[in-house]
Each structure stands twice: as C-alpha cells, then as structure tokens.
Amino acid sequence: MIQLQENNSKVKGALAFEEVLDSIGSRGKFQMRLNVVFVFFASCFNLMSVYMFYIAMQTPDHWCHVPGREHTNLSLEEWKNFTIPREGAAFSKCLMYNQSDVRDFSNRREPVKCQHSWEYDNTWFSLTVTSQMNWVCDNQQTVNTILFYSQNIGVALGLLFGYVGDMYGRRPQQLLCLSAHVVSRLLVMLAPHVLPLFILAESLVSGAAGPMEESLLAVGLELTDIKHRSVINRYASCSMALGMMLAGLVSWALPNWNYFMSFAAISCFTLFFFFRWFPQSPRWLACRGREQEALAVLRDIATTNGSTVPAFALQVIQTVGNSKADRTGFLSIFSSWNVFKNTVILIIASIFCIKMIVKCSAIKFLSNPAKPFNLDDVIFFL
C-alpha cells in the first residue's frame, strides 16, 4: 500500500506539471524557437559535423608520382602505362617502375616502392586528410588507428558528458558539447601532423555527439505537451538524416577538407548566439531542490508565450522534487547485471556500426566513382 501511494503521488506530480505547461503555453513562441533552433538545426549540425570527419578521412584513388611527364606530350593515362605497373586490371597504388631515364621507355626495370610521393584522384575531393598527409601504402594503417582510438576514447568521454548532464543539468551539458564541436573541428585542421592531438580532437566529437543529441531532445520533449511529443521526435529524426545528407552535399561543394570542416565549425559556433534560448530543465531543477530556479524558468517560458505562471506552480515543483528517485550518475551502469550487460553491448555495437559504415562507404562509393549509383548500392550501404 505504501508503494502504491508513492506511485500515485508520482503520477499526480507528473500530471500536475503537464497542467502547468498547459497554463504557461506548451506550444508557444518559446517552444517554437527552442525546437527550430536546437531540436532541428543543432541536431542537423551535430550529425553533419560527425560525418564530415569521416568524409575527410576517406582515401581517394592514388598512384606513384613519377616526375618527367611535363617534358612529354603524353596524357596522364599514357604516362601511367609507361611508369606504373598494373595489378590485375588496375594500376598499382604503391609501386612504380625503377626507370633511370624516364624518356627511354624501352628498358623497364623491376617495380619498386613509390620514390617521389603520390598523386591523387581529385574527381570528388581536391584534398582530404589522407592525401594531405600521404597516409597510404606503408602508412595506410594510420587511418584505422585514428578511427579506432578516437572511437574508444569517445566512449569514455561520452560517459563524462552524460555525467555532466546528470550532475549539472542539460544546459551546461549542451554548452560543453557545443564547445567540443567547435574546438575539435579547429584542432583537427591545425594538428594533423601531431597524431595524439589529432586523435584527441576527434574524440571530443565522438564523445559529445550522443549526449548533445540526447540533451536537445530531452529538453524539447519536456517542455512540449504530450500530444505533440511524437512530432518533436519526428523533427529530430528528420534533422539528423538531413545532417548526414548535408555532410555529403557541403563536402561536394567544398571539396577541400579544410573548407568543409571550417563550415562545420562555423555552423556549430553560430548556435552560441542563440544559446540564451536553451533553458535549464525545470524538472531537473525541481529534483535537485532548486525550486526557485525551476520557477524562474517557468516564468521565462510564460513571459515569452504571453501568459502567466499559475499559483499552484510552486506546489507542483515541490511535488516533483519530493517524488524524485535517487540516482547515482554514470555509476548507475553498475547498478545491475542487465544494465551493465546492455550498456556494453550497445557500446560494442556502436563502434562496429560506425566502422562498417565508414569502410562500406569508402569501398563502395569512393573506390569506384565511375560506377552509377543505383538501388543495389542503397541496400548495400544500409
């Protein structure tokens, strides 16, 4: 009976909070600008920034640079026929003929490793991180190393960002995640020569992307009436899909990786100008015993929507605070075997999913750009 009474108290508190939202406006100007700027655009920029890095790490088709073509009237294809050995139907990516006199093609020697750097196919990208740093052939493992360590470090940072949201609220969490995007995108452009710093910079976004999306959606849903929360979820899903498509569109329009990563940094930075519209969660404030701050957030919403806070709002906030359940932050992962097991499974699945998407997109689309895009490619990619 005692447990039943506690559950009824929680349900009444939840219903009463919805009544407060209805009184101050649950679909007014405040919610409109919050959902448009953050749930839609911030979610879009979040995913766009994530996938732009994967595009920047793609390895375009490449072959050994053999000097001397400028002294001939040969086309690129003809020059490669004379200077680059074939591996099956394709030209070798890492070997060239050891030709002492490039003007005498009658006496070819044994294939050797590239002696004068590489040339890259710029059909899709004029410059990627891989082509800038020549992470190919003997150094091709560097790309896998960066993706491996950045994803695993990102898992630990993701727990940290989530802990910040639990302990300090959604607003500080959102500010921290947004700052991580801007700082990361600036660092990756400045530090490709410093591999540990480059990995750490990408790890910031790997860790911040999930908590950023979660905090955006949590606040957007909390301050919207129950009937329209599915609409907010739909907006968030569409914006994430748009962000992934926008990553490809912008990188196609700005084929230099420094340019489209700068675009990602600027896009995320513009959100700081609207950050005053992102509120702290009133429910979280109530659960933390910060009743006056929660009431201040409700007053701000009411003022923006042209309404007033009802007289029973403070009582509702106190009810929500009294009915809260104890939480232990990220340590709650170890509260039971099932929670810990499911968390580990999700982490492993996420890492493998990202690796498979990166490798499939690289193999299927970029290694053979001449192949037309069709439905089979879409099914393969999915």
Side-chain angles (χ1 to χ4, degrees):
M1 290 297 295
I2 293 175
Q3 184 65 37
L4 183 60
Q5 291 175 359
E6 290 179 354
N7 291 337
N8 289 336
S9 176
K10 293 179 182 180
V11 172
K12 290 179 180 179
L15 293 175
F17 189 82
E18 300 302 331
E19 294 174 2
V20 173
L21 280 180
D22 291 337
S23 299
I24 64 177
S26 58
R27 283 182 287 161
K29 178 182 177 181
F30 187 93
Q31 284 80 8
M32 178 64 70
R33 69 188 189 186
L34 172 66
N35 293 328
V36 170
V37 174
F38 290 97
V39 175
F40 187 81
F41 280 104
S43 297
C44 177
F45 295 160
N46 181 31
L47 267 292
M48 180 187 70
S49 176
V50 170
Y51 281 88
M52 274 184 173
F53 179 80
Y54 298 139
I55 295 175
M57 293 297 292
Q58 298 298 336
T59 304
D61 188 24
H62 53 278
W63 56 89
C64 296
H65 170 69
V66 181
R69 182 184 165 216
E70 63 274 10
H71 303 300
T72 70
N73 58 355
L74 298 177
S75 66
L76 177 61
E77 191 72 14
E78 292 171 334
W79 182 256
K80 289 166 69 175
N81 276 324
F82 284 118
T83 59
I84 307 296
R86 287 184 176 271
E87 295 178 349
F91 288 105
S92 174
K93 299 179 184 299
C94 303
L95 297 176
M96 57 177 284
Y97 285 123
N98 184 17
Q99 184 71 39
S100 58
D101 185 1
V102 296
R103 292 170 296 182
D104 180 13
F105 303 118
S106 60
N107 185 22
R108 293 180 181 177
R109 298 185 179 179
E110 292 296 322
V112 295
K113 292 183 178 180
C114 296
Q115 305 293 311
H116 311 284
S117 189
W118 289 263
E119 294 184 34
Y120 296 89
D121 182 5
N122 59 1
T123 303
W124 297 105
F125 304 109
S126 60
L127 188 68
T128 66
V129 186
T130 307
S131 60
Q132 177 179 321
M133 302 303 300
N134 288 325
W135 288 335
V136 293
C137 297
D138 291 342
N139 297 320
Q140 63 181 347
Q141 188 61 31
T142 304
V143 176
N144 293 331
T145 300
I146 291 171
L147 294 176
F148 174 81
Y149 284 108
S150 63
Q151 289 300 316
N152 285 278
I153 296 174
V155 170
L157 292 178
L159 294 176
L160 177 61
F161 286 125
Y163 180 76
V164 170
D166 288 339
M167 298 303 297
Y168 302 102
R170 304 300 183 191
R171 183 177 167 85
Q173 181 188 39
Q174 185 63 207
L175 180 63
L176 184 61
C177 292
L178 200 55
S179 302
H181 270 278
V182 176
V183 172
S184 170
R185 285 352 185 188
L186 293 176
L187 280 179
V188 294
M189 290 186 291
L190 296 174
H193 298 84
V194 185
L195 202 57
L197 184 59
F198 187 80
I199 293 174
L200 180 60
E202 171 53 20
S203 301
L204 289 176
V205 169
S206 296
M212 179 176 174
E213 184 64 34
E214 184 269 338
S215 63
L216 291 170
L217 195 55
V219 175
L221 293 175
E222 176 185 345
L223 300 180
T224 303
D225 62 296
I226 295 176
K227 294 181 180 179
H228 290 81
R229 287 177 181 172
S230 59
V231 177
I232 302 302
N233 273 311
R234 184 169 71 244
Y235 286 159
S237 299
C238 291
S239 67
M240 288 187 286
L242 179 62
M244 288 186 279
M245 292 185 287
L246 194 61
L249 179 63
V250 173
S251 59
W252 169 78
L254 304 172
N256 187 309
W257 79 277
N258 291 286
Y259 296 157
F260 61 74
M261 292 300 285
S262 297
F263 182 87
I266 293 172
S267 299
C268 293
F269 183 77
T270 56
L271 295 174
F272 284 113
F273 295 102
F274 306 95
F275 194 74
R276 64 184 184 277
W277 293 349
F278 191 84
Q280 184 65 282
S281 166
R283 289 180 187 267
W284 182 88
L285 291 171
C287 291
R288 289 290 174 176
R290 297 158 63 175
E291 299 168 357
Q292 292 303 318
E293 294 181 49
L295 194 60
V297 173
L298 296 179
R299 289 196 187 102
D300 185 31
I301 297 174
T303 301
T304 304
N305 291 339
S307 59
T308 57
V309 178
F312 60 88
L314 181 59
Q315 181 181 358
V316 170
I317 291 174
Q318 292 173 344
T319 303
V320 172
N322 293 333
S323 63
K324 73 180 181 68
D326 293 330
R327 297 195 298 177
T328 58
F330 72 90
L331 293 178
S332 60
I333 294 174
F334 305 99
S335 60
S336 70
W337 167 246
N338 282 336
V339 173
F340 176 75
K341 177 185 67 177
N342 292 339
T343 302
V344 172
I345 291 174
L346 287 172
I347 290 173
I348 295 174
S350 175
I351 293 174
F352 276 97
C353 179
I354 292 174
K355 287 182 179 294
M356 287 301 296
I357 288 176
V358 173
K359 287 188 175 295
C360 287
S361 61
I363 294 172
K364 191 66 177 177
F365 300 113
L366 296 180
S367 65
N368 189 11
K371 184 180 182 296
F373 188 83
N374 53 43
L375 182 60
D376 291 337
D377 294 330
V378 177
I379 297 174
F380 178 86
F381 181 76
L382 293 176

